[in-house]
Amino acid sequence: MTTDDAAMKRDMAPRPVRILGMLTGPGAFRLILAAAVFVSHVSRIGIGRPAVVLFFMLSGYWVTRLYQGWSASTWTFEASRFLRIWPLLAVTAIVVWLVEMAGILPLHGNLLSTLGLLGLAVRQGDVIGVAWSLDLELQFYLLLPFCLWWINRRTDGRATRAALLLAVLTVAGAIGMANGWLTALAFAPAFAGGVAIRLSDWRVSTRTAAISVAVFVGIGVLLWLVPATRMMVIKGDVPWWLDLAYTAWCLTLLPYVAWNVHQPSPPIDREMGNLSFPLYLVHFPLIVLAIRWAGDGLAGKALALVLALVATAILYLFVDRPFERWRSGLWRRRRDTMVAEARDSPP
């Protein structure tokens, strides 16, 4: 048997399922964050907002990676990212709105405002209760090409330009929040952290990643022990600067995120990551429905979990996957057309 044959046989051999490894992949991490948002909405534990901050951090890495490998124009990139999040949002919002019109759920938000998405976090009117974060995600998509152009416009001074841009965006976001305007700029450091991981190709050891988790948890314990900061862990008053504080706290997990995005992602891990999106979108209206039917005790929360899991599976199989296959095929066909046009054009 040749060396290549031996390697092929080794690669094809069945491997034991490693539960810990399944929980540390990039997809599993996103699913855990979506589950954290669910837990936050059925309890007084304030882990929902930090989970959203970490979503933005992960997005900074993955979207930058996608953009760097994008062979078509910037506007097609923006259109592709919009079509990744909007169809599932639209279906979810329309179904929830129809349920509200039927009197099964209390009226909440405005359907047209939700479907408009961009600027939703400022103008309010969110039908499903969590679409505000998708508005901010879309804003990050629009900002990313400009930010990368600014950073890479010259070979020297990139770090200085990046730091200056981040400072300006963060200050602008803080001023906006202080005046009641929630925009993507409020979470600019988190998204920028993910971008920096990608641009620097930062590799982190398992030990360093574990230390960052320990620091994050330790700060959480201190926040809980101090009465003035307990509302960051146990829900209480919500001052305007709370999201800025959450972002600063979550930046201690940047080494873990840098480690996580470089972990292997087998098919099961990618499926877990894909499931996080429909779970995030659909869970809040179903919590409201379950509490209305079964009360806000354990029975209502258990019912909310069951309903959320069932609805997630339905949305994933019959909406998200078909739309994603269509979207992927659309840009693949466009790339093939561009290649053919370039080949057939005169020199």
Side-chain angles (χ1 to χ4, degrees):
M1 182 183 294
T2 66
T3 303
D4 290 342
D5 291 337
M8 183 179 297
K9 184 175 182 180
R10 183 174 63 252
D11 291 340
M12 294 177 63
R15 292 182 174 87
V17 176
R18 302 184 184 279
I19 301 299
L20 183 59
M22 288 175 58
L23 296 177
T24 56
F29 187 34
R30 298 207 307 273
L31 186 58
I32 290 170
L33 293 177
V37 176
F38 176 91
V39 170
S40 180
H41 282 148
V42 296
S43 70
R44 294 188 60 223
I45 304 174
I47 57 175
R49 213 67 162 195
V52 172
V53 173
L54 289 169
F55 268 124
F56 290 143
M57 195 180 294
L58 289 170
S59 179
Y61 174 86
W62 292 113
V63 177
T64 302
R65 177 174 169 175
L66 287 170
Y67 184 67
Q68 288 180 323
W70 192 256
S71 57
S73 62
T74 298
W75 81 264
T76 58
F77 172 80
E78 300 291 359
S80 177
R81 298 317 305 162
F82 176 78
L83 290 174
R84 177 65 188 99
I85 63 177
W86 190 83
L88 191 59
L89 165 67
V91 170
T92 304
I94 291 171
V95 170
V96 171
W97 179 77
L98 290 174
V99 172
E100 292 177 355
M101 290 296 100
I104 300 173
L105 277 173
L107 290 174
H108 181 271
N110 180 282
L111 180 61
L112 292 180
S113 181
T114 303
L115 296 179
L117 190 54
L118 192 62
L120 178 62
V122 172
R123 67 176 178 269
Q124 304 300 319
D126 183 356
V127 168
I128 63 175
V130 297
W132 65 270
S133 64
L134 300 184
D135 167 29
L136 304 193
E137 181 79 1
L138 184 58
Q139 293 177 37
F140 278 129
Y141 297 161
L142 295 173
L143 283 169
L144 179 65
F146 165 77
C147 293
L148 293 181
W149 168 82
W150 169 262
I151 294 170
N152 296 318
R153 55 197 298 260
R154 291 198 309 269
T155 56
D156 59 322
R158 289 177 179 173
T160 301
R161 287 195 299 277
L164 177 62
L165 178 62
L166 177 58
V168 170
L169 295 180
T170 302
V171 171
I175 293 173
M177 289 191 67
N179 290 276
W181 287 65
L182 180 61
T183 67
L185 302 185
F187 300 94
F191 190 84
V195 175
I197 291 172
R198 174 59 188 173
L199 295 181
S200 64
D201 193 27
W202 189 20
R203 304 283 173 154
V204 172
S205 67
T206 302
R207 181 173 180 272
T208 301
I211 291 173
S212 77
V213 173
V215 170
F216 178 81
V217 173
I219 293 175
V221 172
L222 290 176
L223 292 173
W224 175 72
L225 289 174
V226 178
T229 58
R230 188 166 297 164
M231 78 287 192
M232 291 185 64
V233 182
I234 304 298
K235 294 176 186 176
D237 295 332
V238 183
W240 69 266
W241 48 263
L242 191 59
D243 283 325
L244 298 176
Y246 278 138
T247 300
W249 181 21
C250 288
L251 285 175
T252 62
L253 276 178
L254 198 62
Y256 175 81
V257 172
W259 174 85
N260 175 262
V261 296
H262 291 110
Q263 295 307 297
S265 184
I268 188 172
D269 181 72
R270 292 193 292 272
E271 293 300 323
M272 286 192 287
N274 292 332
L275 284 167
S276 66
F277 185 34
L279 173 60
Y280 178 75
L281 280 179
V282 80
H283 78 278
F284 186 72
L286 292 177
I287 291 173
V288 176
L289 181 63
I291 290 176
R292 195 175 193 188
W293 282 351
D296 59 357
L298 183 59
K301 295 171 184 178
L303 178 60
L305 177 60
V306 172
L307 292 176
L309 292 177
V310 172
T312 295
I314 293 173
L315 279 175
Y316 179 69
L317 293 173
F318 299 107
V319 181
D320 183 67
R321 290 300 89 189
F323 268 113
E324 184 60 10
R325 286 192 293 269
W326 171 81
R327 184 186 71 93
S328 300
L330 176 67
W331 304 119
R332 184 163 52 248
R333 289 191 297 273
R334 180 173 178 80
R335 286 195 299 272
D336 293 344
T337 301
M338 292 175 63
V339 170
E341 290 175 348
R343 184 183 61 242
D344 295 338
S345 62

